[in-house]
PDB file of all heavy atoms in Angstrom:
ATOM      1  N   SER A  40      -8.453 -13.153   5.338  1.00 81.00           N
ATOM      2  CA  SER A  40      -7.806 -12.463   4.325  1.00 81.00           C
ATOM      3  C   SER A  40      -7.676 -13.351   3.065  1.00 81.00           C
ATOM      4  O   SER A  40      -7.701 -14.600   3.215  1.00 81.00           O
ATOM      5  CB  SER A  40      -6.448 -11.988   4.728  1.00 81.00           C
ATOM      6  OG  SER A  40      -6.600 -10.874   5.632  1.00 81.00           O
ATOM      7  N   SER A  74     -10.384  -8.011   6.881  1.00 91.00           N
ATOM      8  CA  SER A  74     -10.101  -8.270   5.548  1.00 91.00           C
ATOM      9  C   SER A  74     -10.999  -7.402   4.634  1.00 91.00           C
ATOM     10  O   SER A  74     -12.102  -7.144   4.892  1.00 91.00           O
ATOM     11  CB  SER A  74     -10.514  -9.705   5.193  1.00 91.00           C
ATOM     12  OG  SER A  74     -10.442  -9.913   3.795  1.00 91.00           O
ATOM     13  N   THR A  75     -10.350  -6.911   3.577  1.00 92.00           N
ATOM     14  CA  THR A  75     -11.130  -6.049   2.603  1.00 92.00           C
ATOM     15  C   THR A  75     -11.160  -6.772   1.215  1.00 92.00           C
ATOM     16  O   THR A  75     -11.393  -6.093   0.207  1.00 92.00           O
ATOM     17  CB  THR A  75     -10.460  -4.622   2.448  1.00 92.00           C
ATOM     18  OG1 THR A  75      -9.042  -4.849   2.290  1.00 92.00           O
ATOM     19  CG2 THR A  75     -10.692  -3.851   3.721  1.00 92.00           C
ATOM     20  N   ASP A 108      -3.717  -0.603   9.047  1.00 98.00           N
ATOM     21  CA  ASP A 108      -4.535  -0.665   7.868  1.00 98.00           C
ATOM     22  C   ASP A 108      -6.035  -0.783   8.326  1.00 98.00           C
ATOM     23  O   ASP A 108      -6.470  -1.864   8.821  1.00 98.00           O
ATOM     24  CB  ASP A 108      -4.139  -2.001   7.132  1.00 98.00           C
ATOM     25  CG  ASP A 108      -4.891  -2.156   5.825  1.00 98.00           C
ATOM     26  OD1 ASP A 108      -5.777  -1.382   5.500  1.00 98.00           O
ATOM     27  OD2 ASP A 108      -4.578  -3.172   5.184  1.00 98.00           O
ATOM     28  N   ASN A 127      -3.045   3.835   7.199  1.00 98.00           N
ATOM     29  CA  ASN A 127      -3.329   3.319   5.760  1.00 98.00           C
ATOM     30  C   ASN A 127      -4.754   3.006   5.685  1.00 98.00           C
ATOM     31  O   ASN A 127      -5.236   2.083   6.263  1.00 98.00           O
ATOM     32  CB  ASN A 127      -2.425   2.069   5.559  1.00 98.00           C
ATOM     33  CG  ASN A 127      -2.743   1.389   4.286  1.00 98.00           C
ATOM     34  OD1 ASN A 127      -3.122   2.092   3.265  1.00 98.00           O
ATOM     35  ND2 ASN A 127      -2.576   0.117   4.146  1.00 98.00           N
ATOM     36  N   ASP A 198      -2.530   5.915  -3.528  1.00 98.00           N
ATOM     37  CA  ASP A 198      -2.512   4.473  -3.876  1.00 98.00           C
ATOM     38  C   ASP A 198      -3.662   4.230  -4.884  1.00 98.00           C
ATOM     39  O   ASP A 198      -4.771   4.565  -4.515  1.00 98.00           O
ATOM     40  CB  ASP A 198      -2.570   3.634  -2.635  1.00 98.00           C
ATOM     41  CG  ASP A 198      -2.570   2.130  -2.889  1.00 98.00           C
ATOM     42  OD1 ASP A 198      -2.793   1.718  -4.017  1.00 98.00           O
ATOM     43  OD2 ASP A 198      -2.313   1.384  -1.949  1.00 98.00           O
ATOM     44  N   LYS A 234      -2.380 -10.531  -5.797  1.00 98.00           N
ATOM     45  CA  LYS A 234      -3.795 -10.172  -6.092  1.00 98.00           C
ATOM     46  C   LYS A 234      -4.324 -10.805  -7.326  1.00 98.00           C
ATOM     47  O   LYS A 234      -3.591 -11.424  -8.111  1.00 98.00           O
ATOM     48  CB  LYS A 234      -3.928  -8.619  -6.199  1.00 98.00           C
ATOM     49  CG  LYS A 234      -3.952  -7.997  -4.781  1.00 98.00           C
ATOM     50  CD  LYS A 234      -4.342  -6.566  -4.849  1.00 98.00           C
ATOM     51  CE  LYS A 234      -4.386  -5.984  -3.388  1.00 98.00           C
ATOM     52  NZ  LYS A 234      -4.433  -4.530  -3.375  1.00 98.00           N
ATOM     53  N   ARG A 269       3.531  -2.594  -1.256  1.00 98.00           N
ATOM     54  CA  ARG A 269       2.935  -3.332  -0.091  1.00 98.00           C
ATOM     55  C   ARG A 269       2.909  -4.791  -0.481  1.00 98.00           C
ATOM     56  O   ARG A 269       2.280  -5.212  -1.410  1.00 98.00           O
ATOM     57  CB  ARG A 269       1.569  -2.755   0.128  1.00 98.00           C
ATOM     58  CG  ARG A 269       0.798  -3.467   1.290  1.00 98.00           C
ATOM     59  CD  ARG A 269      -0.587  -2.776   1.442  1.00 98.00           C
ATOM     60  NE  ARG A 269      -1.279  -3.380   2.587  1.00 98.00           N
ATOM     61  CZ  ARG A 269      -1.985  -4.501   2.501  1.00 98.00           C
ATOM     62  NH1 ARG A 269      -2.150  -5.153   1.366  1.00 98.00           N
ATOM     63  NH2 ARG A 269      -2.656  -4.988   3.548  1.00 98.00           N
TER      64      ARG A 269
HETATM   65  N1  HH2 B 320      -4.763  -3.978  -0.315  1.00 94.63           N
HETATM   66  C1  HH2 B 320      -5.289  -4.670   0.619  1.00 94.63           C
HETATM   67  C2  HH2 B 320      -5.433  -4.188   1.931  1.00 94.63           C
HETATM   68  N2  HH2 B 320      -4.890  -2.942   2.153  1.00 94.63           N
HETATM   69  N3  HH2 B 320      -3.822  -0.993   1.471  1.00 94.63           N
HETATM   70  C3  HH2 B 320      -3.268  -0.262   0.533  1.00 94.63           C
HETATM   71  N4  HH2 B 320      -2.779   0.974   0.764  1.00 94.63           N
HETATM   72  N5  HH2 B 320      -3.173  -0.776  -0.769  1.00 94.63           N
HETATM   73  C4  HH2 B 320      -3.591  -1.961  -1.084  1.00 94.63           C
HETATM   74  O1  HH2 B 320      -3.536  -2.372  -2.314  1.00 94.63           O
HETATM   75  C5  HH2 B 320      -4.235  -2.780  -0.123  1.00 94.63           C
HETATM   76  C6  HH2 B 320      -4.365  -2.256   1.244  1.00 94.63           C
HETATM   77  C7  HH2 B 320      -5.867  -6.087   0.366  1.00 94.63           C
HETATM   78  O2  HH2 B 320      -4.812  -7.035   0.467  1.00 94.63           O
HETATM   79  P1  HH2 B 320      -4.556  -7.880   1.825  1.00 94.63           P
HETATM   80  O3  HH2 B 320      -4.401  -7.115   3.062  1.00 94.63           O
HETATM   81  O4  HH2 B 320      -3.435  -8.801   1.495  1.00 94.63           O
HETATM   82  O5  HH2 B 320      -5.890  -8.812   1.920  1.00 94.63           O
HETATM   83  P2  HH2 B 320      -7.203  -8.702   2.814  1.00 94.63           P
HETATM   84  O6  HH2 B 320      -7.804  -7.419   2.631  1.00 94.63           O
HETATM   85  O7  HH2 B 320      -8.015  -9.867   2.357  1.00 94.63           O
HETATM   86  O8  HH2 B 320      -6.775  -8.850   4.299  1.00 94.63           O
END
Side-chain angles (χ1 to χ4, degrees):
S40 287
S74 173
T75 48
D108 183 358
N127 171 30
D198 181 341
K234 283 190 176 167
R269 181 180 181 275

